[in-house]
Amino acid sequence: MTVVLGLFGMLIGSFLNVVIYRVPLKKSIVSPPSACGTCGHVVRRYDNIPILSWLILRGRCRDCHAKISVRYPLVELGGAVFFAVVALWFVPPIFAATTTRVVVGDVLELVGMLYLAAISLALALIDLDTRTLPNTIVLPAYAVGGAFLAGAGILQGNLPALVLALIGAAALAAIYFALYFFIPGGMGFGDVKLAGVLGLFLGFLGWPQLVVGSFAAFITGGLFSVILLVSQRGKRKSRIPFGPWMLLGAWIGILVGPQVTTWYLTLFGLGAA
């Protein structure tokens, strides 16, 4: 399943390349078909195989030989790795489930997390490119993510997770709105909207994921800012997109939140003996 979902993630990565390029330009992600940005020739189907086509063509257009950015295969590879990691974490419970009802619930949770992985990759790169988090990706995530998580929680018989998901969404959105309101220029409103989505997923998984995922964004973003200042590659007033750090922090919480919480409590003598 890890290999299968990794390959599927590679295909999704190919589609995300279109999303990353077209959504900020408010262009359709469905039509027209992908074409060379230099000569305009439509990309042939056999030249649209993720990663492999770029390697065969040596990173150039078949028709005009213009260079094709290495970011295209890297996004496809990123999709493959991201989906494989999600599979490693969320597929085992599916096989361990003892009833069909719970199996379906676990599958819905897995699909929800794969969906979050896909939009995380797209939003991080769009924010780095344009310093925006498009509503066309962020806002539907409330409905899509909420639907998958609601179905998972109901079928798993885990209604407290749904309550905590709502608490997480509201709490993170409120915290980011306060930062946006009281520290002008320190936070974009797109970050506020994204915070609610991340709080929804983190809350569903539990308190450790929610707490670690929330704080990790500020810790990783802060460390990066310090590195930029020390290396003299940035200034105190330099504006750094925070969306990628929010997403990175959320995934740290999702993947290792409980372990980080246990380590922290044990460090201060608050954990189990």
Side-chain angles (χ1 to χ4, degrees):
M1 284 295 294
T2 300
V3 173
V4 170
L5 287 176
L7 292 174
F8 181 63
M10 191 183 300
L11 296 175
I12 293 297
S14 182
F15 172 68
L16 291 179
N17 276 317
V18 177
V19 172
I20 293 164
Y21 174 74
R22 295 188 183 185
V23 167
L25 298 176
K26 301 186 184 302
K27 293 183 177 181
S28 170
I29 60 175
V30 178
S31 63
S34 298
C36 174
T38 301
C39 67
H41 274 89
V42 174
V43 177
R44 299 164 178 81
R45 291 185 178 180
Y46 51 80
D47 285 338
N48 209 20
I49 303 172
I51 300 178
L52 184 60
S53 291
W54 189 89
L55 292 174
I56 292 175
L57 294 172
R58 297 182 180 180
R60 294 184 178 274
C61 171
R62 182 181 292 275
D63 297 290
C64 69
H65 306 294
K67 287 186 177 181
I68 302 173
S69 174
V70 70
R71 192 168 86 169
Y72 287 97
L74 288 179
V75 171
E76 293 163 351
L77 179 60
V81 173
F82 215 157
F83 272 43
V85 170
V86 172
L88 286 173
W89 260 255
F90 291 94
V91 166
I94 296 174
F95 291 99
T98 56
T99 66
T100 302
R101 181 187 178 95
V102 175
V103 167
V104 175
D106 288 347
V107 169
L108 289 176
E109 182 179 354
L110 168 65
V111 175
M113 292 300 164
L114 292 174
Y115 169 76
L116 179 62
I119 65 171
S120 294
L121 189 56
L123 287 171
L125 291 174
I126 289 175
D127 201 16
L128 288 172
D129 288 343
T130 67
R131 295 188 178 180
T132 61
L133 294 165
N135 287 334
T136 51
I137 298 177
V138 176
L139 296 184
Y142 282 96
V144 177
F148 281 123
L149 296 180
I154 292 171
L155 292 173
Q156 293 167 343
N158 192 8
L159 296 183
L162 299 182
V163 175
L164 186 52
L166 294 176
I167 293 173
L172 266 192
I175 291 171
Y176 274 79
F177 180 78
L179 294 172
Y180 166 79
F181 186 80
F182 291 108
I183 310 177
M187 193 76 61
F189 199 66
D191 297 327
V192 178
K193 288 176 280 190
L194 176 60
V197 173
L198 298 179
L200 186 73
F201 281 88
L202 290 168
F204 179 84
L205 294 175
W207 281 110
Q209 289 87 342
L210 178 58
V211 173
V212 172
S214 301
F215 279 101
F218 295 98
I219 294 172
T220 54
L223 287 175
F224 180 75
S225 299
V226 170
I227 292 171
L228 284 183
L229 288 173
V230 172
S231 64
Q232 298 183 340
R233 293 186 178 182
K235 300 179 180 179
R236 291 183 180 275
K237 294 184 178 180
S238 297
R239 295 193 64 182
I240 302 170
F242 197 57
W245 303 109
M246 294 173 64
L247 294 160
L248 175 61
W251 279 101
I252 290 174
I254 289 171
L255 299 177
V256 295
Q259 292 87 337
V260 171
T261 302
T262 300
W263 168 81
Y264 183 82
L265 293 176
T266 304
L267 183 67
F268 289 93
L270 300 174

